[in-house]
Amino acid sequence: MPPKKEEISYFSIKKEIEQKQFRPIYVLQGEEPYYIDKLCDLIVDNALSEDEKAFNLTVCYGVDVEMRNVIAACKQYPAMSQYQVVVLREAQNVGKAGNKHATEINMLQYYAQKPLDSTILVICYKGGSIKAGDFTKELKKTTGLVFTSNKIRDYEIPKLIREYCRSISVNIDEKSVAMLAEHIGSDLSRLFSEIDKLRLLTGPQKTITPELIERNIGYSKEFNIFELEDALVSRNQLKAFRIVDYFQRNPKNNPVMPVVSSLFNFFSNILLIQTAKDRTDAGLMEQVNIRTPFRIRKLKEAAMAFSKRGCVNIISYLRDCDVKSKGQGSRQDPYDLLKELIYKILHS
């Protein structure tokens, strides 16, 4: 049985499950549904073969479940299998129908006192934390597990990409990390799916590169937000407007509002770099909530190219462009607004 106290993360739980080290009870809760669904599927697929699922997999739904039936299912023994799995999906809906109360889930506390070794109970509670203090208190006395799947913040995405690549034994350079983080963002289902696809194309080197990303996920190495940032920092007017023209010709993949948002974050971070007291890389990473050395080096270079007053003015221009591109106080084409913005930044 796995040790009781340890660092709990999606990747540590995933590794544990793949090694077929199962907990008797899992509570998977939180605001990020991807991890909840993925871990639930991993438990089912690693505990049971396809043939075993027919007799040893029970799936219930919170809106119409009777907790006594869940407990009864948990107390059964598997048929021709080492384990049976009982899944309670949408547990956040327990008590929302009929005369039941949300705290009915606390009935599981008695089962949690002495769960069957041959039963794996998985409770999926999306949108928050489970409202069953008696049950979770009892659960923590055993080898059960409560995992909270928090919403991913933008600055956490690069670290997440690196962790996922490590978990599937793939190398990735910092430029590629930054490209994936910027192009895909916090849509974890799409992010990990794209990495899985790239993994199959890496060849014997097992390395994801910018060229591989450009060829296979529709990301232009020459015309993207990073190249636009570089053009602005180097005051390369021709390159900057070529990139904006490309964005305008490909509006589906390059809408104005995300471009403005990215530039706002970029120049806000430049200003933070310029005003930071701790000038070491570690201090600057803490200041701007970025854990990518490649990105910090780029921001430091940009901080030398713009004055503090220039950055303040640029942030003001970005705010104004953001408002107008949403149709407030202006009927100009959003890409015309973007071109006007780029001109102002280049001359700040």
Side-chain angles (χ1 to χ4, degrees):
M1 191 61 67
K4 184 176 180 180
K5 291 185 178 180
E6 61 187 284
E7 180 185 356
I8 296 176
S9 70
Y10 166 75
F11 296 102
S12 66
I13 300 170
K14 178 176 180 287
K15 181 178 179 181
E16 187 179 285
I17 293 168
E18 290 173 342
Q19 293 174 344
K20 299 191 182 299
Q21 297 175 330
F22 300 112
R23 313 288 184 121
I25 303 174
Y26 293 85
V27 173
L28 310 176
Q29 63 181 14
E31 296 181 352
E32 176 51 65
Y34 175 84
Y35 287 144
I36 296 173
D37 292 335
K38 194 68 176 178
L39 286 174
C40 181
D41 291 342
L42 279 169
I43 293 166
V44 172
D45 291 339
N46 281 273
L48 302 173
S49 68
E50 289 302 317
D51 291 338
E52 289 170 341
K53 289 177 185 179
F55 297 99
N56 297 288
L57 175 60
T58 302
V59 180
C60 311
Y61 291 86
V63 70
D64 56 7
V65 72
E66 295 285 346
M67 293 311 301
R68 63 176 179 269
N69 293 337
V70 175
I71 295 170
C74 289
K75 290 183 176 180
Q76 294 178 2
Y77 289 92
M80 297 175 289
S81 173
Q82 183 178 359
Y83 297 105
Q84 69 148 344
V85 181
V86 178
V87 179
L88 173 56
R89 294 191 181 275
E90 301 174 6
Q92 70 276 7
N93 292 326
V94 169
K96 291 186 178 180
N99 297 319
K100 294 177 291 182
H101 194 273
T103 56
E104 185 184 1
I105 203 168
N106 269 322
M107 291 173 62
L108 288 169
Q109 69 173 300
Y110 303 109
Y111 174 73
Q113 291 173 359
K114 195 173 181 180
L116 287 185
D117 290 337
S118 58
T119 295
I120 303 171
L121 172 61
V122 185
I123 299 172
C124 302
Y125 191 103
K126 296 180 180 179
S129 299
I130 194 167
K131 308 298 189 293
D134 295 338
F135 166 52
T136 54
K137 183 178 179 181
E138 198 65 49
L139 179 64
K140 291 174 183 177
K141 297 178 183 178
T142 70
T143 53
L145 182 145
V146 178
F147 171 68
T148 301
S149 178
N150 294 317
K151 205 70 178 174
I152 303 301
R153 299 177 179 88
D154 288 343
Y155 70 84
E156 296 174 318
I157 297 172
K159 178 184 176 183
L160 191 61
I161 292 171
R162 289 191 291 271
E163 286 181 339
Y164 187 76
C165 287
R166 276 198 302 271
S167 76
I168 60 174
S169 302
V170 169
N171 301 313
I172 186 167
D173 59 41
E174 291 300 327
K175 177 71 172 179
S176 298
V177 168
M179 288 172 68
L180 288 173
E182 183 65 35
H183 184 62
I184 300 176
S186 59
D187 182 346
L188 298 188
S189 180
R190 184 186 170 206
L191 179 63
F192 293 156
S193 176
E194 294 288 4
I195 293 174
D196 287 339
K197 180 172 73 174
L198 292 169
R199 174 196 184 189
L200 299 175
L201 302 169
T202 55
Q205 292 79 19
K206 296 293 182 184
T207 300
I208 294 175
T209 63
E211 291 75 21
L212 195 66
I213 294 171
E214 180 186 2
R215 288 197 306 268
N216 294 285
I217 67 170
Y219 187 97
S220 171
K221 186 180 177 183
E222 185 178 0
F223 300 107
N224 58 65
I225 187 64
F226 297 109
E227 294 301 320
L228 179 57
E229 290 171 357
D230 290 344
L232 294 175
V233 170
S234 63
R235 298 295 203 281
N236 189 330
Q237 182 169 315
L238 177 61
K239 181 179 179 181
F241 282 106
R242 281 181 63 211
I243 293 171
V244 174
D245 285 339
Y246 175 84
F247 288 172
Q248 189 170 14
R249 294 195 306 272
N250 299 272
K252 184 177 179 180
N253 294 326
N254 303 281
V256 168
M257 281 189 282
V259 173
V260 173
S261 177
S262 293
L263 290 175
F264 180 85
N265 290 334
F266 182 62
F267 282 98
S268 296
N269 285 335
I270 292 173
L271 189 59
L272 288 173
I273 293 285
Q274 291 171 333
T275 56
K277 293 182 179 179
D278 186 347
R279 308 296 297 177
T280 65
D281 282 358
L284 295 177
M285 286 182 182
E286 187 68 27
Q287 180 77 358
V288 297
N289 276 326
I290 288 175
R291 297 293 179 266
T292 308
F294 167 82
R295 190 66 173 167
I296 290 297
R297 289 195 297 272
K298 184 171 181 177
L299 288 169
K300 287 169 69 176
E301 292 173 5
M304 300 291 291
F306 293 92
S307 67
K308 293 179 186 176
R309 172 54 56 188
C311 282
V312 170
N313 289 338
I314 289 169
I315 290 170
S316 176
Y317 301 150
L318 285 159
R319 290 183 185 277
D320 184 56
C321 182
D322 180 61
V323 170
K324 289 181 178 178
S325 67
K326 294 173 182 175
Q328 300 179 33
S330 174
R331 293 187 179 181
Q332 282 182 267
D333 181 274
Y335 291 94
D336 289 339
L337 290 168
L338 181 59
K339 290 175 183 178
E340 181 182 334
L341 170 67
I342 296 303
Y343 178 86
K344 289 179 178 178
I345 293 174
L346 288 167
H347 293 85
S348 294

